[in-house]
Amino acid sequence: MEIKFLGHAAFALSHDGKTVLVDPFLTGNPKAAAGADEVEADAIFLTHGHGDHLGDTVDIAQRTGADVVAIVELAAELEGAGLDKVHNPNIGGTVDLGWVSVRLTPAWHTGTSPSGGTTATPAGLVIEIGGKRIYHLGDTGLFSDLALPSRRGHIDVALIPIGGHFTMDRFDAVTAAEFVKADQVIPCHYDTFPPIQTDVQAFKSDVQNAGYAEVVVLEPGESHTVR
Ligand code: NI
Ligand code: MN
């Protein structure tokens, strides 16, 4: 399966001709690798409702007819926005679409629904696609329960925020990489805006020198094949 970095925390995971987008924030994203009107999507998974994650979800889902998975309060507002293939798990729940599944895990962050009307707890996402298990940590600070998903099954690739300010910084992200125990780590949520600029190469060498994982740094638009 293939992982394409679309910039910030947005990824396209593809296998066998099908694509799931995670957190498709493209319009207004200075690092966006694609336009909202050109990406393909059979499903869209959201970590939380902040604008830099919800992004273009409604427009893309309306154009493509993609299934959308979001935590229950966020899902309710997306249905209210006119989407009809919305799935509404809560933390711990799994949605299995047959070709891809996603389980929501805890993430330490804040969040509201797009309207700001209800609290919508942020999540991490454990995604199984093409025989691989991908853990998108979402927006989170460091906490030790990041170690728990790998007890359920080996994590092939972890997508870890490293930019600081709104999430863990690159130093805590090294410890996160230790806890998560993935074969490979792809850093995200950095360098999009001034407050989250960081040294991604320093993160890479810190993680690899500690022997925690192989770090794959992707520029927006670049893809990585998981074998
Ligand atoms: Ni956020
Ligand atoms: Mn964010």
Side-chain angles (χ1 to χ4, degrees):
M1 55 86 49
E2 193 174 81
I3 300 175
K4 183 174 186 179
F5 184 41
L6 297 176
H8 196 55
F11 291 88
L13 313 182
S14 300
H15 175 71
D16 212 11
K18 291 212 170 200
T19 297
V20 54
L21 299 179
V22 181
D23 289 357
F25 164 53
L26 302 172
T27 303
N29 174 355
K31 299 284 186 179
D37 55 355
E38 61 186 6
V39 288
E40 293 176 34
D42 299 284
I44 301 171
F45 298 163
L46 297 177
T47 62
H48 65 299
H50 280 157
D52 61 319
H53 298 261
L54 175 72
D56 300 290
T57 295
V58 172
D59 286 347
I60 296 169
Q62 281 175 337
R63 176 174 56 80
T64 60
D67 288 90
V68 178
V69 179
I71 202 163
V72 56
E73 291 82 6
L74 179 54
E77 286 206 10
L78 293 172
E79 283 188 319
L83 301 186
D84 56 4
K85 289 167 69 182
V86 179
H87 308 263
N88 64 349
N90 210 318
I91 301 289
T94 299
V95 172
D96 189 349
L97 300 176
W99 57 278
V100 64
S101 73
V102 58
R103 185 169 76 257
L104 271 57
T105 67
W108 268 107
H109 192 62
T110 63
T112 57
S113 57
S115 73
T118 52
T119 300
T121 301
L125 307 173
V126 178
I127 300 166
E128 297 189 23
I129 178 172
K132 302 297 180 185
R133 191 175 286 108
I134 314 298
Y135 180 15
H136 192 308
L137 273 61
D139 279 4
T140 186
L142 178 65
F143 65 114
S144 55
D145 285 358
L146 293 170
L148 293 179
S150 73
R151 296 201 182 182
R152 172 98 171 245
H154 179 76
I155 308 293
D156 293 288
V157 182
L159 313 176
I160 299 185
I162 68 164
H165 195 77
F166 301 116
T167 68
M168 65 175 88
D169 61 16
R170 71 174 176 88
F171 302 99
D172 278 351
V174 175
T175 305
E178 178 187 9
F179 288 161
V180 167
K181 292 189 182 71
D183 288 339
Q184 296 180 316
V185 166
I186 298 176
C188 65
H189 214 280
Y190 68 95
D191 286 1
T192 319
F193 310 107
I196 60 173
Q197 282 176 354
T198 197
D199 185 344
V200 68
Q201 293 302 330
F203 168 76
K204 175 174 177 162
S205 41
D206 288 349
V207 170
Q208 295 193 163
N209 290 342
Y212 296 148
E214 176 190 356
V215 176
V216 178
V217 176
L218 297 180
E219 291 297 318
E222 283 187 337
S223 295
H224 172 64
T225 301
V226 185
R227 300 178 196 284

